[in-house]
Amino acid sequence: MEKTAVLLSRIAQGDARAQSELERRLSPKLSRYAHGRLPAYARGMETTSDLVSDALRKSFAAIGHFDLRHEGAFLGYARKALNTGIVDAIRRANARPKGDEIDENLPSRELSPIDTYAGREFRRRFDEALELLTPEQHQAVVLRLELGYSFADVAEAMESPSTDAARMLVNRAIERLAHELRPFASDL
């Protein structure tokens, strides 16, 4: 499997097959990351795969301005583009006029407002705690927890000396996250 840096170099030279390969490799990871992040009211005609495709299209268009610092950097860049797409979809949904009133006696399949708030609040606090990690720990946690990389994949993406070294980096970062989130556990 070619490294991302090689594929990006080939894409910058106009190699459509390299772009297809990188898109095939990143799409499932970005889809897992995006799953559940777009509220039901904001979905409309846009699907998770639409958001992922758009994020990848924008990321590929910016390859000329992209500085590849490590193997997982482009994935992080595409993830930020995906986050921007999610925020834009939510803004568009909030700008739409609301429909007719819904019968309040119908049971809801959605989370309760308290459950929704708790999930958003935890995510906000988790993101704040992530920012307290070193850049290396931050990247390792994102690769492992949010994108589902195996420890071997984390080691390869971060050019770690071994799978065990990557495992240790991830575990220490998770311990630090847990320590940072502990004061908020009773609030949720």
Side-chain angles (χ1 to χ4, degrees):
M1 181 183 320
E2 285 185 282
K3 289 201 172 248
T4 302
V6 173
L7 291 173
L8 288 173
S9 174
R10 288 177 42 204
I11 292 167
Q13 297 170 1
D15 186 338
R17 279 192 283 175
Q19 183 170 331
S20 293
E21 169 61 22
L22 190 55
E23 188 170 344
R24 183 193 61 75
R25 195 182 300 173
L26 298 181
S27 288
K29 295 170 183 169
L30 291 171
S31 292
R32 276 194 306 271
Y33 173 78
H35 181 74
R37 291 188 188 270
L38 189 63
Y41 73 86
R43 288 196 186 115
M45 298 298 287
E46 251 174 340
T47 65
T48 299
S49 63
D50 293 331
L51 291 170
V52 168
S53 295
D54 191 47
L56 284 171
R57 182 184 51 78
K58 289 177 180 175
S59 299
F60 288 135
I63 283 180
H65 308 290
F66 183 73
D67 180 25
L68 184 66
R69 293 190 180 126
H70 52 81
E71 186 64 20
F74 187 74
L75 178 59
Y77 186 82
R79 183 175 156 248
K80 284 186 179 185
L82 180 58
N83 280 335
T84 300
I86 291 168
V87 168
D88 289 346
I90 292 169
R91 285 185 182 143
R92 282 190 302 275
N94 287 332
R96 285 190 298 243
K98 303 299 179 219
D100 293 335
E101 289 293 318
I102 296 176
D103 181 0
E104 291 185 24
N105 295 325
L106 292 176
S108 173
R109 294 184 202 165
E110 300 296 317
L111 293 174
S112 73
I114 292 171
D115 291 338
T116 301
Y117 171 77
R120 273 190 248 146
E121 184 64 14
F122 177 80
R123 184 65 204 189
R124 182 186 67 75
R125 288 177 177 176
F126 180 81
D127 287 342
E128 287 174 1
L130 262 180
E131 295 303 319
L132 298 174
L133 300 177
T134 66
E136 186 179 45
Q137 288 175 326
H138 184 159
Q139 185 67 26
V141 166
V142 168
L143 291 172
R144 178 71 178 143
L145 296 183
E146 296 191 5
L147 299 175
Y149 274 37
S150 68
F151 288 114
D153 291 339
V154 172
E156 181 182 337
M158 298 196 62
E159 298 176 1
S160 183
S162 69
T163 300
D164 286 336
R167 182 180 294 112
M168 202 178 316
L169 174 65
V170 169
N171 288 340
R172 286 182 179 155
I174 290 172
E175 284 175 18
R176 181 148 181 231
L177 275 175
H179 175 74
E180 295 296 336
L181 290 170
R182 194 166 292 124
F184 304 111
S186 62
D187 292 350
L188 296 178

